[in-house]
Structure formats: C-alpha cells, structure tokens
Coordinates of all heavy atoms in Angstrom, one line a residue:
M1 N 3.7 19.7 8.7 CA 2.3 19.7 9.2 C 2.4 19.9 10.7 O 3.2 19.4 11.4 CB 1.6 18.4 8.8 CG 0.3 18.3 9.5 SD -0.6 16.8 9.1 CE -1.6 17.4 7.8
V2 N 1.5 20.8 11.2 CA 1.3 21.0 12.6 C 0.0 20.5 13.0 O -1.0 20.9 12.4 CB 1.5 22.5 12.9 CG1 1.2 22.7 14.4 CG2 2.9 23.0 12.6
C3 N -0.1 19.7 14.1 CA -1.3 19.3 14.6 C -1.4 19.8 16.1 O -0.4 19.7 16.8 CB -1.4 17.7 14.7 SG -1.5 17.0 13.0
V4 N -2.5 20.3 16.5 CA -2.7 20.9 17.8 C -3.7 20.0 18.5 O -4.7 19.7 18.0 CB -3.2 22.3 17.8 CG1 -3.4 22.9 19.1 CG2 -2.2 23.2 17.0
S5 N -3.3 19.6 19.8 CA -4.2 18.8 20.6 C -5.5 19.5 21.0 O -5.5 20.7 21.2 CB -3.4 18.3 21.8 OG -4.3 17.6 22.7
K6 N -6.5 18.7 21.1 CA -7.7 19.2 21.6 C -7.8 19.2 23.2 O -8.7 19.7 23.8 CB -8.9 18.5 21.1 CG -8.9 17.0 21.3 CD -10.1 16.3 20.6 CE -10.0 14.8 20.6 NZ -11.0 14.2 19.9
F7 N -6.7 18.7 23.8 CA -6.6 18.7 25.2 C -5.3 19.3 25.6 O -4.2 18.8 25.4 CB -6.6 17.2 25.8 CG -7.8 16.5 25.5 CD1 -7.9 15.6 24.4 CD2 -9.0 16.7 26.2 CE1 -9.0 14.9 24.2 CE2 -10.1 16.0 25.9 CZ -10.2 15.1 24.9
G8 N -5.3 20.5 26.2 CA -4.1 21.2 26.6 C -3.4 21.8 25.5 O -3.8 22.0 24.4
S9 N -2.1 22.2 25.8 CA -1.3 22.9 24.8 C -0.2 22.0 24.2 O 1.0 22.3 24.3 CB -0.6 24.1 25.5 OG -1.6 25.0 25.9
L10 N -0.6 20.9 23.6 CA 0.3 20.0 23.0 C 0.2 20.2 21.5 O -0.8 20.5 20.9 CB -0.1 18.5 23.3 CG -0.1 18.1 24.7 CD1 -0.6 16.6 24.8 CD2 1.3 18.2 25.3
A11 N 1.4 20.0 20.8 CA 1.5 20.2 19.4 C 2.4 19.1 18.8 O 3.3 18.6 19.5 CB 2.0 21.5 19.0
L12 N 2.1 18.7 17.6 CA 2.9 17.7 16.9 C 3.4 18.3 15.6 O 2.6 19.0 14.9 CB 2.0 16.5 16.6 CG 2.5 15.5 15.5 CD1 3.7 14.7 16.1 CD2 1.5 14.5 15.1
L13 N 4.7 18.1 15.3 CA 5.2 18.5 14.0 C 5.6 17.3 13.2 O 6.2 16.4 13.7 CB 6.5 19.3 14.2 CG 6.4 20.7 14.8 CD1 7.8 21.3 15.1 CD2 5.7 21.6 13.8
C14 N 5.2 17.2 12.0 CA 5.5 16.1 11.1 C 5.7 16.6 9.7 O 5.2 17.6 9.3 CB 4.6 15.0 11.3 SG 2.8 15.4 11.1
A15 N 6.4 15.8 8.9 CA 6.7 16.2 7.5 C 5.5 16.0 6.6 O 5.4 16.7 5.6 CB 7.9 15.3 7.0
D16 N 4.6 15.1 6.9 CA 3.5 14.8 6.1 C 2.3 14.5 7.1 O 2.4 14.9 8.2 CB 3.8 13.6 5.2 CG 3.0 13.5 3.9 OD1 1.8 14.0 4.0 OD2 3.4 13.0 2.9
N17 N 1.4 13.7 6.6 CA 0.4 13.2 7.5 C 1.0 12.4 8.7 O 2.0 11.7 8.4 CB -0.6 12.3 6.8 CG -1.5 13.1 5.8 OD1 -1.8 14.3 6.1 ND2 -1.8 12.5 4.7
P18 N 0.5 12.5 9.9 CA 1.1 11.7 11.0 C 1.1 10.3 10.6 O 0.2 9.7 10.0 CB 0.1 12.0 12.1 CG -0.5 13.3 11.8 CD -0.6 13.3 10.3
G19 N 2.3 9.7 10.9 CA 2.5 8.3 10.5 C 3.2 8.0 9.2 O 3.5 6.9 8.9
A20 N 3.3 9.0 8.4 CA 3.9 8.9 7.0 C 5.4 8.5 7.2 O 5.9 7.8 6.3 CB 3.7 10.1 6.2
F21 N 6.0 9.0 8.2 CA 7.4 8.7 8.5 C 7.4 8.3 10.0 O 6.5 8.5 10.8 CB 8.3 10.0 8.4 CG 8.4 10.5 7.0 CD1 7.5 11.4 6.5 CD2 9.3 10.0 6.1 CE1 7.6 11.9 5.2 CE2 9.4 10.4 4.8 CZ 8.5 11.4 4.4
L22 N 8.6 7.7 10.4 CA 8.7 7.2 11.8 C 9.1 8.3 12.7 O 9.3 8.1 13.9 CB 9.8 6.1 11.8 CG 9.4 4.8 11.1 CD1 10.6 3.8 11.1 CD2 8.1 4.2 11.6
G23 N 9.1 9.5 12.2 CA 9.4 10.7 13.0 C 10.1 11.7 12.2 O 10.4 11.5 11.0
T24 N 10.5 12.8 12.8 CA 11.1 13.9 12.1 C 12.5 13.6 11.7 O 12.9 14.0 10.6 CB 11.1 15.2 13.0 OG1 11.8 14.9 14.2 CG2 9.7 15.8 13.2
E25 N 13.2 12.7 12.4 CA 14.6 12.3 12.0 C 14.5 11.6 10.7 O 15.4 11.8 9.8 CB 15.2 11.5 13.1 CG 15.6 12.3 14.3 CD 16.5 13.5 14.0 OE1 17.5 13.4 13.3 OE2 16.2 14.6 14.6
E26 N 13.6 10.6 10.6 CA 13.5 9.9 9.3 C 13.1 10.8 8.2 O 13.7 10.7 7.1 CB 12.5 8.8 9.4 CG 12.4 8.0 8.1 CD 11.2 6.9 8.1 OE1 10.1 7.3 8.5 OE2 11.5 5.8 7.8
A27 N 12.2 11.7 8.4 CA 11.8 12.7 7.3 C 12.9 13.6 6.9 O 13.1 13.8 5.7 CB 10.6 13.5 7.8
R28 N 13.7 14.0 7.9 CA 14.9 14.8 7.5 C 15.9 14.0 6.7 O 16.5 14.5 5.8 CB 15.6 15.4 8.8 CG 14.7 16.5 9.3 CD 15.4 17.4 10.3 NE 16.0 16.7 11.4 CZ 16.4 17.2 12.5 NH1 16.2 18.5 12.7 NH2 17.0 16.6 13.5
A29 N 16.2 12.8 7.2 CA 17.1 11.9 6.5 C 16.7 11.6 5.0 O 17.6 11.5 4.2 CB 17.3 10.6 7.2
E30 N 15.4 11.6 4.8 CA 14.9 11.3 3.4 C 14.7 12.6 2.6 O 14.2 12.6 1.5 CB 13.6 10.6 3.5 CG 13.8 9.1 4.0 CD 12.6 8.3 3.8 OE1 11.7 8.6 2.9 OE2 12.5 7.3 4.5
G31 N 15.1 13.8 3.2 CA 15.0 15.0 2.5 C 13.6 15.6 2.4 O 13.4 16.5 1.6
E32 N 12.7 15.1 3.2 CA 11.4 15.6 3.2 C 11.0 16.7 4.2 O 9.9 17.2 4.2 CB 10.4 14.4 3.4 CG 10.5 13.4 2.3 CD 10.0 13.9 1.0 OE1 9.1 14.7 0.9 OE2 10.6 13.5 0.0
L33 N 12.0 17.0 5.0 CA 11.8 18.0 6.1 C 13.1 18.8 6.3 O 14.1 18.3 6.6 CB 11.4 17.3 7.4 CG 11.0 18.2 8.5 CD1 9.7 19.1 8.2 CD2 10.6 17.4 9.8
D34 N 13.0 20.1 6.0 CA 14.1 21.0 6.2 C 14.4 21.3 7.6 O 13.5 21.7 8.3 CB 13.9 22.3 5.4 CG 15.0 23.2 5.4 OD1 16.1 22.9 4.8 OD2 14.9 24.2 6.1
T35 N 15.6 21.2 8.1 CA 16.0 21.4 9.5 C 15.7 22.8 9.9 O 15.1 23.1 11.0 CB 17.4 21.1 9.7 OG1 17.7 19.7 9.4 CG2 17.8 21.3 11.2
A36 N 16.0 23.8 9.1 CA 15.8 25.2 9.4 C 14.3 25.5 9.5 O 13.8 26.2 10.5 CB 16.4 26.1 8.4
D37 N 13.5 24.9 8.6 CA 12.0 25.1 8.7 C 11.5 24.5 10.0 O 10.6 25.1 10.7 CB 11.3 24.5 7.5 CG 11.6 25.3 6.2 OD1 12.0 26.4 6.3 OD2 11.3 24.7 5.2
L38 N 11.9 23.3 10.3 CA 11.5 22.6 11.5 C 11.8 23.4 12.7 O 10.9 23.5 13.6 CB 12.2 21.2 11.6 CG 11.9 20.4 12.8 CD1 10.4 20.0 12.8 CD2 12.7 19.1 12.9
E39 N 13.0 23.9 12.8 CA 13.4 24.7 14.0 C 12.6 26.0 14.1 O 12.2 26.4 15.2 CB 14.9 25.0 14.0 CG 15.7 23.7 14.2 CD 17.2 24.0 13.9 OE1 17.6 25.1 13.6 OE2 18.0 23.0 14.1
Q40 N 12.3 26.6 13.0 CA 11.5 27.8 13.0 C 10.1 27.6 13.5 O 9.5 28.3 14.3 CB 11.5 28.5 11.6 CG 10.8 29.8 11.5 CD 10.9 30.4 10.2 OE1 11.3 29.8 9.2 NE2 10.5 31.6 10.0
V41 N 9.5 26.5 13.0 CA 8.1 26.2 13.4 C 8.1 25.8 14.9 O 7.2 26.2 15.6 CB 7.5 25.2 12.5 CG1 6.1 24.7 13.0 CG2 7.3 25.7 11.1
H42 N 9.1 25.0 15.3 CA 9.2 24.5 16.7 C 9.3 25.7 17.6 O 8.5 25.8 18.6 CB 10.4 23.6 16.8 CG 10.5 22.9 18.1 ND1 11.0 23.6 19.2 CD2 10.0 21.7 18.6 CE1 11.0 22.8 20.3 NE2 10.4 21.6 19.9
R43 N 10.1 26.7 17.3 CA 10.3 27.9 18.1 C 9.0 28.7 18.2 O 8.6 29.1 19.2 CB 11.4 28.7 17.5 CG 11.6 30.1 18.1 CD 11.9 30.2 19.6 NE 12.7 29.2 20.2 CZ 12.6 28.7 21.5 NH1 11.7 29.3 22.3 NH2 13.3 27.8 22.0
A44 N 8.3 28.8 17.1 CA 7.0 29.5 17.1 C 6.0 28.9 18.0 O 5.3 29.6 18.7 CB 6.5 29.7 15.6
L45 N 5.9 27.6 17.9 CA 5.0 26.8 18.8 C 5.3 27.0 20.3 O 4.5 27.2 21.1 CB 4.9 25.3 18.4 CG 4.2 25.0 17.1 CD1 4.5 23.6 16.7 CD2 2.7 25.3 17.2
V46 N 6.6 26.9 20.6 CA 7.1 27.1 22.0 C 6.8 28.5 22.4 O 6.3 28.7 23.5 CB 8.6 26.7 22.1 CG1 9.1 27.2 23.5 CG2 8.8 25.2 21.9
D47 N 7.0 29.5 21.6 CA 6.7 30.9 21.9 C 5.2 31.1 22.2 O 4.9 32.0 23.0 CB 7.2 31.8 20.8 CG 8.7 31.9 20.8 OD1 9.4 31.4 21.7 OD2 9.3 32.5 19.8
L48 N 4.4 30.3 21.5 CA 3.0 30.4 21.7 C 2.5 29.6 22.9 O 1.3 29.6 23.2 CB 2.2 30.0 20.5 CG 2.3 30.9 19.3 CD1 1.8 30.2 18.0 CD2 1.6 32.2 19.5
G49 N 3.4 28.9 23.6 CA 3.0 28.2 24.8 C 2.7 26.7 24.6 O 2.2 26.1 25.5
Y50 N 3.0 26.2 23.4 CA 2.8 24.7 23.2 C 4.0 23.9 23.6 O 5.1 24.4 23.5 CB 2.5 24.5 21.7 CG 1.2 25.0 21.3 CD1 1.0 26.2 20.7 CD2 0.0 24.2 21.5 CE1 -0.3 26.7 20.3 CE2 -1.2 24.6 21.1 CZ -1.4 25.8 20.5 OH -2.6 26.3 20.1
R51 N 3.7 22.7 24.0 CA 4.8 21.7 24.2 C 4.7 20.8 23.0 O 3.7 20.2 22.7 CB 4.5 20.9 25.5 CG 5.4 19.7 25.6 CD 5.4 19.0 26.9 NE 6.6 19.5 27.6 CZ 6.7 19.7 28.9 NH1 5.7 19.6 29.6 NH2 7.9 20.0 29.4
V52 N 5.8 20.7 22.3 CA 5.9 19.9 21.1 C 6.3 18.5 21.5 O 7.3 18.2 22.1 CB 7.0 20.5 20.1 CG1 7.0 19.6 18.8 CG2 6.6 21.9 19.7
V53 N 5.4 17.5 21.0 CA 5.5 16.1 21.4 C 6.1 15.4 20.2 O 5.6 15.5 19.1 CB 4.2 15.5 21.8 CG1 4.3 14.1 22.2 CG2 3.5 16.4 22.9
P54 N 7.1 14.5 20.4 CA 7.7 13.8 19.3 C 6.6 12.7 18.8 O 6.0 12.1 19.5 CB 8.9 13.0 19.9 CG 9.2 13.8 21.1 CD 7.9 14.4 21.6
E55 N 6.6 12.6 17.5 CA 5.6 11.7 16.8 C 5.8 10.3 17.3 O 4.8 9.6 17.5 CB 5.8 11.8 15.3 CG 4.7 11.1 14.5 CD 4.8 11.3 13.1 OE1 5.7 12.0 12.6 OE2 3.9 10.8 12.4
E56 N 7.0 9.9 17.5 CA 7.3 8.5 18.0 C 6.6 8.2 19.3 O 6.2 7.0 19.5 CB 8.9 8.3 18.1 CG 9.7 8.6 16.9 CD 10.1 10.0 16.7 OE1 9.4 11.0 17.2 OE2 11.1 10.2 16.0
L57 N 6.5 9.1 20.2 CA 5.9 8.9 21.5 C 4.4 8.7 21.3 O 3.8 7.9 22.0 CB 6.1 10.0 22.5 CG 7.6 10.2 23.0 CD1 7.6 11.4 23.9 CD2 8.0 8.9 23.7
L58 N 3.8 9.4 20.4 CA 2.4 9.3 20.2 C 1.9 8.0 19.6 O 0.7 7.7 19.6 CB 1.9 10.5 19.3 CG 2.1 11.8 19.9 CD1 1.7 12.9 18.9 CD2 1.3 12.0 21.2
E59 N 2.8 7.2 19.0 CA 2.5 5.9 18.5 C 2.4 4.8 19.5 O 1.9 3.7 19.3 CB 3.5 5.5 17.4 CG 3.4 6.4 16.2 CD 2.0 6.4 15.5 OE1 1.4 5.4 15.4 OE2 1.6 7.5 15.1
R60 N 2.8 5.1 20.7 CA 2.8 4.1 21.8 C 1.4 3.8 22.2 O 0.5 4.7 22.1 CB 3.6 4.5 23.0 CG 5.1 4.6 22.7 CD 5.9 5.0 23.9 NE 7.3 5.1 23.5 CZ 8.2 5.3 24.4 NH1 7.9 5.4 25.7 NH2 9.5 5.4 24.0
D61 N 1.1 2.6 22.7 CA -0.2 2.2 23.2 C -0.6 3.1 24.4 O 0.2 3.4 25.3 CB -0.2 0.8 23.6 CG -0.2 -0.2 22.5 OD1 -0.4 0.3 21.3 OD2 0.0 -1.4 22.7
Y62 N -1.9 3.5 24.4 CA -2.5 4.2 25.5 C -3.3 3.2 26.3 O -4.2 2.5 25.8 CB -3.4 5.4 25.0 CG -4.2 6.0 26.1 CD1 -3.5 6.9 26.9 CD2 -5.5 5.8 26.2 CE1 -4.2 7.6 27.9 CE2 -6.2 6.5 27.2 CZ -5.6 7.3 28.1 OH -6.3 8.0 29.0
D63 N -3.0 3.1 27.6 CA -3.7 2.1 28.4 C -4.7 2.8 29.4 O -5.2 2.1 30.3 CB -2.8 1.2 29.1 CG -1.8 1.9 30.0 OD1 -1.9 3.1 30.1 OD2 -0.9 1.2 30.6
G64 N -5.0 4.0 29.3 CA -5.9 4.7 30.2 C -7.3 4.6 29.8 O -7.6 3.9 28.8
P65 N -8.2 5.3 30.5 CA -9.6 5.2 30.1 C -9.9 5.9 28.8 O -9.2 6.9 28.4 CB -10.3 6.0 31.3 CG -9.2 6.9 31.8 CD -7.9 6.2 31.6
S66 N -10.9 5.4 28.1 CA -11.2 6.0 26.8 C -12.7 5.7 26.5 O -13.3 4.9 27.1 CB -10.4 5.4 25.7 OG -10.8 4.1 25.4
R67 N -13.2 6.5 25.5 CA -14.6 6.3 25.1 C -14.6 5.8 23.6 O -15.5 6.1 22.9 CB -15.3 7.6 25.2 CG -15.5 8.1 26.6 CD -16.3 9.3 26.7 NE -15.3 10.4 26.6 CZ -15.5 11.7 26.3 NH1 -16.7 12.1 26.0 NH2 -14.6 12.6 26.3
L68 N -13.5 5.1 23.3 CA -13.4 4.5 21.9 C -14.4 3.4 21.8 O -14.8 2.7 22.7 CB -12.0 4.0 21.6 CG -11.0 5.0 21.4 CD1 -9.6 4.4 21.3 CD2 -11.3 5.8 20.2
P69 N -14.9 3.2 20.6 CA -15.8 2.0 20.3 C -15.1 0.7 20.7 O -13.9 0.6 20.8 CB -16.0 2.1 18.8 CG -15.6 3.4 18.4 CD -14.6 3.9 19.3
W70 N -15.9 -0.3 21.1 CA -15.5 -1.5 21.6 C -14.5 -2.2 20.7 O -13.6 -3.0 21.1 CB -16.6 -2.5 21.9 CG -17.4 -2.8 20.7 CD1 -18.5 -2.2 20.2 CD2 -17.1 -3.9 19.8 NE1 -18.9 -2.8 19.0 CE2 -18.1 -3.9 18.8 CE3 -16.2 -4.9 19.7 CZ2 -18.1 -4.8 17.7 CZ3 -16.2 -5.9 18.7 CH2 -17.2 -5.8 17.7
H71 N -14.6 -2.0 19.4 CA -13.8 -2.7 18.4 C -12.4 -2.2 18.3 O -11.5 -2.8 17.6 CB -14.4 -2.8 17.0 CG -14.6 -1.4 16.4 ND1 -15.6 -0.6 16.7 CD2 -13.8 -0.8 15.5 CE1 -15.5 0.5 16.0 NE2 -14.4 0.5 15.3
V72 N -12.1 -1.0 18.9 CA -10.7 -0.5 18.8 C -10.0 -1.1 20.0 O -10.2 -0.8 21.1 CB -10.7 1.1 19.0 CG1 -9.3 1.6 19.0 CG2 -11.5 1.7 17.9
Q73 N -9.0 -2.0 19.6 CA -8.3 -2.8 20.6 C -7.2 -2.1 21.3 O -7.0 -2.2 22.5 CB -7.8 -4.1 19.9 CG -8.9 -5.0 19.4 CD -9.8 -5.6 20.4 OE1 -9.3 -5.9 21.5 NE2 -11.1 -5.6 20.2
H74 N -6.4 -1.4 20.6 CA -5.2 -0.8 21.1 C -5.1 0.7 20.7 O -4.4 1.1 19.8 CB -3.9 -1.5 20.6 CG -3.9 -2.9 21.0 ND1 -3.6 -3.4 22.3 CD2 -4.2 -4.0 20.3 CE1 -3.7 -4.7 22.3 NE2 -4.0 -5.1 21.1
P75 N -5.7 1.6 21.5 CA -5.6 3.0 21.2 C -4.2 3.5 21.5 O -3.5 2.9 22.3 CB -6.6 3.7 22.1 CG -6.8 2.7 23.2 CD -6.6 1.4 22.6
S76 N -3.8 4.5 20.8 CA -2.4 5.1 21.0 C -2.6 6.4 21.7 O -3.7 7.0 21.9 CB -1.7 5.3 19.6 OG -2.4 6.3 18.9
W77 N -1.4 7.0 22.0 CA -1.4 8.3 22.6 C -1.9 9.3 21.6 O -2.5 10.4 22.0 CB -0.1 8.7 23.2 CG 0.2 8.0 24.5 CD1 0.8 6.8 24.7 CD2 -0.3 8.4 25.8 NE1 0.7 6.5 26.0 CE2 0.1 7.5 26.7 CE3 -1.0 9.6 26.2 CZ2 -0.2 7.6 28.1 CZ3 -1.3 9.7 27.6 CH2 -0.9 8.7 28.5
W78 N -1.7 9.1 20.3 CA -2.2 9.9 19.3 C -3.7 10.0 19.4 O -4.3 11.0 19.3 CB -1.8 9.4 17.9 CG -2.6 10.0 16.8 CD1 -3.7 9.5 16.2 CD2 -2.5 11.3 16.2 NE1 -4.3 10.3 15.3 CE2 -3.6 11.5 15.3 CE3 -1.6 12.4 16.4 CZ2 -3.7 12.6 14.5 CZ3 -1.8 13.5 15.7 CH2 -2.9 13.7 14.7
D79 N -4.4 8.8 19.5 CA -5.8 8.7 19.6 C -6.3 9.5 20.8 O -7.3 10.3 20.8 CB -6.3 7.3 19.8 CG -6.0 6.4 18.6 OD1 -6.2 6.9 17.5 OD2 -5.5 5.3 18.8
R80 N -5.6 9.4 21.9 CA -6.0 10.1 23.2 C -5.9 11.6 23.1 O -6.8 12.3 23.5 CB -5.1 9.6 24.3 CG -5.2 10.4 25.6 CD -6.6 10.2 26.2 NE -6.8 10.8 27.5 CZ -7.2 12.1 27.6 NH1 -7.6 12.8 26.6 NH2 -7.4 12.6 28.8
F81 N -4.8 12.1 22.6 CA -4.6 13.6 22.6 C -4.9 14.3 21.3 O -5.1 15.5 21.3 CB -3.2 13.9 23.1 CG -3.0 13.7 24.6 CD1 -2.3 12.7 25.0 CD2 -3.7 14.5 25.5 CE1 -2.1 12.4 26.4 CE2 -3.5 14.3 26.8 CZ -2.7 13.3 27.3
F82 N -4.9 13.6 20.2 CA -5.2 14.3 18.9 C -6.3 13.7 18.1 O -6.7 14.2 17.1 CB -3.9 14.2 18.0 CG -2.7 15.0 18.6 CD1 -1.9 14.5 19.5 CD2 -2.6 16.4 18.3 CE1 -0.8 15.2 20.1 CE2 -1.5 17.1 18.8 CZ -0.6 16.5 19.7
G83 N -6.7 12.5 18.5 CA -7.7 11.7 17.7 C -9.1 11.9 18.1 O -9.6 13.0 18.3
I84 N -9.8 10.8 18.3 CA -11.2 10.8 18.3 C -11.9 10.7 19.7 O -13.1 10.6 19.8 CB -11.8 9.7 17.4 CG1 -11.3 8.3 17.9 CG2 -11.5 9.9 16.0 CD1 -11.8 7.1 17.2
F85 N -11.1 10.6 20.8 CA -11.7 10.6 22.1 C -11.0 11.5 23.1 O -10.1 12.2 22.8 CB -11.8 9.2 22.7 CG -10.5 8.6 23.1 CD1 -10.1 8.6 24.5 CD2 -9.7 7.9 22.2 CE1 -9.0 8.0 24.9 CE2 -8.5 7.3 22.6 CZ -8.1 7.4 24.0

C-alpha cells in the first residue's frame, strides 16, 4: 500500500493498512511483502520526487500544534502528515 501525504512530498509504503505490521521489516519477515516489489515501488516514488518515510517513525507522538478535537490526547506523526489535521 502507498499513502501520499497531504502536506509536501512524503509517502509511506506498507504491506497492508498502516499499523498492520510494525514496519516493512516485520512484513517482509512474515512473507507479506516482497523485497523486489518494495524496492521497485520505492524507486518509483523517489523518481517522482517523494521522500519515503518509514512507518515506524510515523507512529511516534507529535507534539506540535494541531487542530485535532480536544479528546485526542496523543496525536502521532501519522495524524499530522497523513491523517486528519
């Protein structure tokens, strides 16, 4: 799966829905992501001008400004660049 950020030229590659695995290494270890396919898609994204961001980094807490509803306590970098604000 490829997700493209709504802010800038960031892209995410994952084997399934974001968060289904702890990252591409886990997905490859479990046989859910082919290394050759991953490299081909990664190269295509880079050639198109995208910076591919590891899924693991996007799960970290985002502590910057946001417009999330008050009940969202700990937004992640995923929320910031790919999610709802």
Side-chain angles (χ1 to χ4, degrees):
M1 170 180 264
V2 174
C3 296
V4 177
S5 174
K6 56 186 172 182
F7 298 102
S9 296
L10 299 176
L12 166 69
L13 288 173
C14 51
D16 202 332
N17 291 324
F21 295 93
L22 296 176
T24 55
E25 290 303 316
E26 181 186 50
R28 288 196 307 199
E30 292 190 23
E32 296 296 325
L33 187 59
D34 181 74
T35 301
D37 291 343
L38 176 66
E39 291 172 2
Q40 185 176 10
V41 174
H42 187 277
R43 172 59 34 212
L45 288 167
V46 170
D47 289 348
L48 289 169
Y50 286 96
R51 169 169 256 144
V52 180
V53 182
E55 187 174 5
E56 301 87 333
L57 291 179
L58 295 174
E59 293 302 318
R60 293 184 181 185
D61 286 346
Y62 173 75
D63 59 2
S66 74
R67 292 181 273 163
L68 287 174
W70 64 270
H71 65 278
V72 178
Q73 298 294 320
H74 300 284
S76 67
W77 282 95
W78 163 263
D79 296 316
R80 171 64 178 91
F81 287 108
F82 295 88
I84 58 175
F85 71 97

